[in-house]
C-alpha cells in the first residue's frame, strides 16, 4: 500500500501476522552459515504458527531453498490450511524431533491472542518447549533457533537457549548484517532510480 502512494522504496519490516521478510532472511542465513546449504535439511517450526509472521516468511524461503518444512504446535495454533504452503503438520514435537536438523522455536504471542489457545503455559512448555531432555533425544548436531524475544521456560529452557546447539546469538548478529544489507540495497535502488 505504501509503495503505491510514495515515491520511494519500501522495506517490509514485519506486517501484523502476515510476513516478516528480514527475520526470514536472517534465519535462512544463520542456517546456511552453520550448514552450508538448506537443501535437504528438515526444519521444524514450533509454536504459535497462527499468529507468527516469521513462520510464513521462513516457510517461503526454506521451501524455495530446498528444505523440508514441518510446522508443529497445538492444533489451535496451526492455521487450518497451512499444508497448502507445502509443509507437513505435526501436533507432537517428540514424534518429529529425531528427524529434524533445525528447530525454530516461535514465541507464543500472547499479545496477539484474543482467546485461550491452550489450557496453560505449563502444559504448553511440557508439550512443545525445547528442554535439555529433548535436546538429548534430538540429532547430535541439531540447531536451535528462536527469533527474539524468547519466553524462557515456555518455548525454551535457559540451558538450551544458552547451550551448544543454540544459534540464537548468531541470529541476533546476523539480523544486524541482513538488515544493513537490505537498507543498503534500498538506498542504492533509490539513488539509481
Amino acid at each position: 500500500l505504501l509503495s503505491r502512494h510514495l515515491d520511494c522504496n519500501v522495506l517490509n519490516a514485519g506486517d501484523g501476522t502476515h510476513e516478516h521478510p528480514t527475520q526470514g532472511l536472517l534465519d535462512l542465513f544463520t542456517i546456511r552459515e552453520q550448514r552450508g546449504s538448506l537443501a535437504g535439511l528438515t526444519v521444524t517450526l514450533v509454536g504459535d504458527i497462527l499468529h507468527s509472521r516469521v513462520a510464513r516468511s521462513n516457510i517461503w524461503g526454506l521451501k524455495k531453498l530446498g528444505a523440508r518444512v514441518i510446522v508443529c504446535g497445538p492444533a489451535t495454533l496451526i492455521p487450518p490450511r497451512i499444508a497448502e504452503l507445502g509443509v507437513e503438520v505435526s501436533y507432537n514435537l517428540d514424534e518429529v524431533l529425531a528427524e529434524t536438523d533445525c528447530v525454530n522455536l516461535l514465541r507464543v504471542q500472547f499479545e496477539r491472542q484474543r482467546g485461550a489457545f491452550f489450557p496453560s503455559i505449563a502444559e504448553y512448555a511440557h508439550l512443545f518447549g525445547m528442554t535439555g531432555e529433548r535436546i538429548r533425544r534430538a540429532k547430535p548436531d541439531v540447531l536451535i533457533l528462536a527469533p527474539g524475544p524468547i519466553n524462557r521456560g515456555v518455548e525454551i529452557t535457559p540451558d538450551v537457549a544458552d547451550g551448544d546447539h543454540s544459534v540464537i546469538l548468531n541470529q541476533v548478529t546476523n539480523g544486524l548484517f541482513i538488515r544493513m544489507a537490505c537498507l543498503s540495497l534500498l538506498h542504492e535502488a533509490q539513488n539509481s532510480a
Side-chain angles (χ1 to χ4, degrees), residues 77-141:
L77 291 177
I78 304 286
R81 299 176 63 175
I82 194 87
E84 292 175 9
L85 297 179
V87 301
E88 298 170 40
V89 177
S90 174
Y91 305 108
N92 187 324
L93 178 57
D94 294 316
E95 287 181 0
V96 297
L97 195 55
E99 59 192 282
T100 298
D101 298 296
C102 307
V103 178
N104 198 341
L105 301 160
L106 304 175
R107 181 175 60 86
V108 176
Q109 298 191 25
F110 297 108
E111 72 279 6
R112 296 186 193 275
Q113 297 179 8
R114 300 286 182 253
F117 287 90
F118 45 86
S120 71
I121 293 172
E123 181 175 308
Y124 179 90
H126 174 70
L127 295 173
F128 300 101
M130 185 55 63
T131 64
E133 179 184 332
R134 282 198 169 101
I135 283 288
R136 288 186 288 280
R137 287 182 288 155
K139 288 186 171 186
D141 60 347

Side-chain angles (χ1 to χ4, degrees), residues 8 10 12 16 26 33 36 49 54-55 68 76 81 85 89 96 111 113 117 120 124 140 144 150 154 156-157 164 178:
C8 67
V10 176
N12 181 344
L26 78 89
E33 180 181 57
I49 310 298
V54 172
R68 171 185 173 214
T76 53
R81 299 176 63 175
L85 297 179
V89 177
V96 297
E111 72 279 6
Q113 297 179 8
F117 287 90
S120 71
Y124 179 90
I144 302 299
I150 59 175
V154 180
I156 188 168
T157 55
D164 294 337
I178 292 292

Side-chain angles (χ1 to χ4, degrees), residues 5-17:
H5 298 284
L6 298 174
D7 186 28
C8 67
N9 295 309
V10 176
L11 175 66
N12 181 344
D15 58 302
T17 58

